[in-house]
Amino acid sequence: MSETGSTVPRRQLGRHLRDLRLQAGMSMPEAARLIERGTTTLQRLETGQTQKIRLLDIRELCSVYDASDVVTAGLLGLAQEASGKCWWHEYGKLIPEDFNVYVGLEAGARRLTSYAPDVVLGLLQAPDYTRELLRLGFPDASSAEIDRRVELKQRRRRILTRKRQPTEMNAVLLECALRRVVGSRKVMAAQLRHLADMSTLPNITLQVLPFSAGIPMGDPIGLFTIVDFDVDRQREPIEPSVVYLENLTGDLYLEQAADVGRYHVAHEAIRRGALDATASRSLLRQIAREYAA
């Protein structure tokens, strides 16, 4: 990683600032004028090219764009994290828990390459499955709060189902994720039918790693997602790929090419050990029938 720090928070900060400006209906020169900065400065902020970020600029932009307190706190946290030589965020510290950094990466992705050993991936979850997980994760939350969180997760799924340039997804689920009961057998039957249906979309490749395949890499591997972005006219990625690792106490983002490459190798090994897409879909429907019996 370069001495100027991780590019992930700078890119995320820029993406959020650009989205806020567009939602506010402002041009870049207009926004720059309101905070008494040059248009070039704002352009560099929005493209993640600024290495020295003034917190005052972020506060003023959030005020101009009428950003919420949570969003403002999240963007200030990103600005402070951007100077680090490696980067992660721990909930409850610089970045508030309700400010989901990964969602910004996900929204800008061209392709998501994922492996999930224990649970169905968020983007592939049916509403009732999500609801049961949230009830366990937030036991004190009201029904209204749970419903809001379910709605937010379902909204994220639109990147896979939109008509124009849907995000590609290459996902492998360990059979454990299909056999581990979340909520009830009825919930599981619906979830597995949902997975089978989603796997018919042309932009989604879903495979199941059966128990009989053993451990393809020799060591167990946890949940991970590789986020790849679009390419420019020279076929170069517009942003470097990132590996996202979700942990109990915080989220880790790996962006060194060697680290990303190792995860690509791991996913390929897992994919080779998995059932092909057709056989995986048949297994999903078979287990769904077992749950419904």
Side-chain angles (χ1 to χ4, degrees), residues 102 106 111-117 121-124 168-174 205-207 222-228 244 263-264 266-268 270-271:
Y102 171 71
E106 185 182 78
R111 180 173 58 253
L112 301 170
T113 303
S114 301
Y115 170 63
L121 293 160
L123 286 180
L124 299 176
E168 298 174 16
M169 173 172 259
N170 299 318
V172 179
L173 300 180
L174 180 60
T205 300
L206 178 59
Q207 296 175 256
L223 174 69
F224 69 85
T225 295
I226 306 169
V227 185
D228 294 310
Y244 169 65
Y263 274 91
H264 271 298
H267 193 274
E268 180 60 22
I270 293 168
R271 190 194 63 77

Side-chain angles (χ1 to χ4, degrees), residues 102-103 106 123 152-159:
Y102 171 71
V103 170
E106 185 182 78
L123 286 180
L152 288 174
K153 183 164 286 191
Q154 293 301 304
R155 191 180 303 164
R156 284 169 51 194
R157 200 175 70 199
R158 294 175 185 171
I159 65 171

Side-chain angles (χ1 to χ4, degrees), residues 124-182:
L124 299 176
Q125 291 176 8
D128 286 344
Y129 185 95
T130 300
R131 185 171 286 104
E132 293 297 336
L133 288 175
L134 289 170
R135 284 173 178 165
L136 294 171
F138 301 92
D140 298 327
S142 66
S143 295
E145 173 67 11
I146 294 294
D147 288 343
R148 185 183 72 85
R149 290 179 179 272
V150 171
E151 181 184 355
L152 288 174
K153 183 164 286 191
Q154 293 301 304
R155 191 180 303 164
R156 284 169 51 194
R157 200 175 70 199
R158 294 175 185 171
I159 65 171
L160 299 176
T161 58
R162 64 194 178 201
K163 293 183 178 180
R164 184 176 181 182
Q165 293 187 323
T167 302
E168 298 174 16
M169 173 172 259
N170 299 318
V172 179
L173 300 180
L174 180 60
E175 187 176 346
C176 176
L178 315 181
R179 301 288 186 181
R180 176 170 285 173
V181 177
V182 173

